[in-house]
Amino acid sequence: MMPRVFTNTRLTAGESLPLSGEDGHHFVRVLRVKKGEEVAVATPAGTYLATVEQVRTAEATVVLSVLSRLPSHESAQQIFLIQGIPKGDKVDTILQKCTEVGVAGVLLMQAKRSVVQLEAKKLSGRLSRWEKIAQEAASQSQRDVVPVVRYASTRQEVKEFLHRLGTSRVLLLDEEEQTTGIRTLLQRTKTFTPANAIVIAVGPEGGWDDSERDWWHNEVGAEAVSIGPRILRTETAGVVAVSAVLYEYGQLGG
Amino acid sequence: MMPRVFTNTRLTAGESLPLSGEDGHHFVRVLRVKKGEEVAVATPAGTYLATVEQVRTAEATVVLSVLSRLPSHESAQQIFLIQGIPKGDKVDTILQKCTEVGVAGVLLMQAKRSVVQLEAKKLSGRLSRWEKIAQEAASQSQRDVVPVVRYASTRQEVKEFLHRLGTSRVLLLDEEEQTTGIRTLLQRTKTFTPANAIVIAVGPEGGWDDSERDWWHNEVGAEAVSIGPRILRTETAGVVAVSAVLYEYGQLGG
């Protein structure tokens, strides 16, 4: 697999791109790239093929020569996951799997039935760790962008997250929803355009409580949806629902 | 969650069902069910609501009273996964997730690039362990049946497995397939009916090798398919592809 680096720099074919810091270290000391080796440089405006022009071993820096644009691997339909914080290391699994599949971002939400209550002082360390997992999975799955990872300790913060997304359609996964399946719902509403984000909301173990249900419906305008009679674990539900949306929008290979 | 037991017994409403052995032990010693408690009895012909009629603590047996048939949780479209054996404990994850989502069975195949070579003397122990994982996941996700778990050390055994399924459609997940996406393929062929099984074949880490590709195409008649430009880990690909097929056939809640 071609080594991959993510950068926010705007690139043009023909230019040189120096890499130092963590990226330089990773390329020189971990991957041990050689002069002339091909690498991929992923930017928010697309991914470029590049070759290693110089390796400065002592300083752990490399200089890349940017060659040409590669085809995008991103879904045309933006999908976000809002995940009620589950137990143990399930957040890691969810971030990894949903990044591979192609989410644009994940918001981890302190839900009523979340057993784990994240302490404020541990938050920044935890977010760095989660971002690192998303970055590794984005690299592995050859994405153009690393999904954003955010945390909301209150419902107000969830609303602010949604507000920043602009017009979006929020699908509330709910075991108590018996009538409307995800396919029926996605195919019924044709006015919604792929330009708007789709947000999948998944509760923690034990699901959403009634006050949360009311809030999602009345304050957010979420649509309750079933993904079938088989009860999925919280760490399985998100990736399955995201896959379903990608499939509907022709973003699983068409 | 209502306790659940799987049995091959054919049941009718009104009859009594004694449980001893492992099931009796589980109900009496682990779940500590009480007289009058509701339980689900899953059989290949459907799942029944029952109540606990007697608890014999000393012998670790219970007698259930079968009440009425519950709605089926099974997919009308049968889907099987053939998984090239991956590294480490990934088989466990794959079995758990695919069982939750709803596969009818999983065949673990010794593929060319499988790093793990299962020793014959360890096979029966490993299969018991895998069946147990499938059973636990089937119970958790409230399925009517436990998916079958099989192992094939040779391609001939894969063919025999497929032969026993009868007419089936085999989709070969292949990173090298660039043109045909899973949605295009499933929607293109309308002659195939849900009465026939769909089989998803996923390679181990590193994918299928060329001799396997040839074999799948020429000997099995498999159709190569892409699930998109984002490269999924082997333990992610199966559950995503199975979800896609379930979605297409209206089996994720309709």
Side-chain angles (χ1 to χ4, degrees), chain B residues 30-125:
Chain B
V30 183
L31 300 177
R32 297 180 188 192
V33 294
K34 303 264 175 281
K35 193 177 165 179
E37 190 171 338
E38 290 189 332
V39 304
V41 185
T43 83
T47 297
Y48 291 80
L49 180 67
T51 52
V52 178
E53 204 174 275
Q54 287 178 39
V55 182
R56 294 179 195 141
T57 312
E59 298 124 82
T61 63
V62 294
V63 179
L64 305 179
S65 173
V66 177
L67 299 179
S68 57
R69 186 83 176 264
L70 291 169
S72 170
H73 288 178
E74 291 302 310
S75 164
Q77 172 60 57
Q78 283 220 317
I79 307 174
F80 290 83
L81 176 72
I82 297 182
Q83 171 73 52
I85 292 186
K87 288 186 213 163
D89 57 5
K90 288 183 181 175
V91 172
D92 300 7
T93 308
I94 291 164
L95 284 172
Q96 189 189 64
K97 298 307 163 213
C98 289
T99 298
E100 285 176 57
V101 173
V103 289
V106 178
L107 177 69
L108 295 151
M109 171 187 178
Q110 204 71 63
K112 282 267 182 169
R113 292 185 181 148
S114 289
V115 174
V116 175
Q117 186 77 34
L118 223 69
E119 291 174 56
K121 63 176 181 185
K122 288 195 180 161
L123 181 60
S124 90

Side-chain angles (χ1 to χ4, degrees), chain B residues 7 27 51 56-57 86 90 97-98 108-109 129 137 180 182 199 204-205 245 249:
Chain B
T7 171
F27 270 49
T51 52
R56 294 179 195 141
T57 312
K90 288 183 181 175
K97 298 307 163 213
C98 289
L108 295 151
M109 171 187 178
R129 178 185 148 77
T180 310
I182 191 168
V199 180
E205 293 92 350
V245 176
Y249 283 86

Side-chain angles (χ1 to χ4, degrees), chain B residues 156-174:
Chain B
Q156 186 53 37
E157 287 172 17
V158 176
K159 279 188 93 165
E160 285 160 15
F161 177 86
L162 290 168
H163 184 74
R164 283 192 297 274
L165 292 187
T167 310
S168 63
R169 181 173 193 183
V170 181
L171 307 186
L172 183 74
L173 261 55
D174 191 348

Side-chain angles (χ1 to χ4, degrees), chain A:
Chain A
M1 202 177 63
M2 210 187 285
R4 177 168 292 249
V5 63
F6 293 91
T7 171
N8 285 319
T9 314
R10 183 169 285 277
L11 298 178
T12 47
E15 74 176 294
S16 290
L17 176 73
L19 294 183
S20 57
E22 260 188 52
D23 292 330
H25 176 84
H26 188 66
F27 270 50
V28 175
R29 305 257 199 265
V30 182
L31 300 176
R32 298 182 188 191
V33 294
K34 302 265 176 281
K35 193 177 164 179
E37 191 171 339
E38 290 189 333
V39 303
V41 185
T43 83
T47 297
Y48 290 80
L49 180 68
T51 54
V52 178
E53 205 176 275
Q54 287 177 40
V55 181
R56 294 180 195 141
T57 312
E59 297 123 80
T61 63
V62 294
V63 179
L64 305 178
S65 174
V66 178
L67 299 178
S68 58
R69 186 85 176 264
L70 292 168
S72 170
H73 288 178
E74 291 302 309
S75 164
Q77 172 60 57
Q78 284 219 317
I79 308 174
F80 290 83
L81 176 71
I82 298 182
Q83 171 74 51
I85 293 186
K87 288 185 214 164
D89 57 4
K90 288 183 182 175
V91 172
D92 300 6
T93 308
I94 292 164
L95 284 172
Q96 189 190 64
K97 299 305 163 213
C98 288
T99 297
E100 284 177 58
V101 173
V103 288
V106 178
L107 176 69
L108 295 152
M109 170 186 178
Q110 204 72 62
K112 284 265 182 172
R113 292 185 181 149
S114 289
V115 174
V116 175
Q117 184 77 34
L118 224 69
E119 290 173 57
K121 63 177 182 185
K122 288 194 178 160
L123 181 60
S124 89
R126 200 57 69 91
L127 273 171
S128 302
R129 178 184 149 76
W130 289 339
E131 279 162 6
K132 201 163 169 156
I133 290 169
Q135 170 150 352
E136 281 168 1
S139 176
Q140 155 87 32
S141 56
Q142 303 183 20
R143 293 193 53 179
D144 299 1
V145 292
V146 180
V148 297
V149 183
R150 298 283 182 272
Y151 168 77
S153 64
T154 64
R155 292 180 193 170
Q156 185 53 37
E157 287 172 17
V158 176
K159 278 188 93 165
E160 284 160 16
F161 176 87
L162 290 169
H163 184 74
R164 283 193 296 275
L165 292 187
T167 310
S168 63
R169 181 173 193 182
V170 181
L171 308 186
L172 183 75
L173 261 55
D174 191 348
E175 284 169 24
E176 297 201 357
E177 175 59 41
Q178 307 274 330
T179 49
T180 310
I182 191 167
R183 181 160 164 263
T184 306
L185 192 74
L186 288 173
Q187 293 184 349
R188 190 166 62 196
T189 315
K190 296 287 177 196
T191 52
F192 194 79
T193 73
N196 306 125
I198 291 182
V199 179
I200 308 278
V202 177
E205 293 91 350
W208 303 109
D209 91 346
D210 282 340
S211 72
E212 285 172 328
R213 254 184 209 108
D214 289 347
W215 178 81
W216 280 111
H217 292 140
N218 302 328
E219 301 278 323
V220 176
E223 302 166 271
V225 73
S226 163
I227 50 171
R230 294 172 295 283
I231 306 303
L232 303 184
R233 284 167 205 256
T234 182
E235 71 272 26
T236 315
V239 68
V240 169
V242 170
S243 301
V245 176
L246 288 167
Y247 183 88
E248 177 61 34
Y249 283 86
Q251 301 297 317
L252 279 184

Side-chain angles (χ1 to χ4, degrees), chain B residues 158-223:
Chain B
V158 176
K159 279 188 93 165
E160 285 160 15
F161 177 86
L162 290 168
H163 184 74
R164 283 192 297 274
L165 292 187
T167 310
S168 63
R169 181 173 193 183
V170 181
L171 307 186
L172 183 74
L173 261 55
D174 191 348
E175 285 170 22
E176 297 201 356
E177 175 59 42
Q178 307 276 332
T179 48
T180 310
I182 191 168
R183 180 161 164 263
T184 307
L185 192 74
L186 288 174
Q187 294 184 347
R188 191 167 60 198
T189 316
K190 298 285 177 196
T191 52
F192 194 80
T193 74
N196 306 126
I198 290 183
V199 180
I200 308 277
V202 177
E205 293 92 350
W208 303 108
D209 92 345
D210 281 342
S211 73
E212 285 172 326
R213 253 182 209 110
D214 289 347
W215 178 80
W216 280 112
H217 292 140
N218 302 328
E219 301 280 320
V220 177
E223 302 166 89

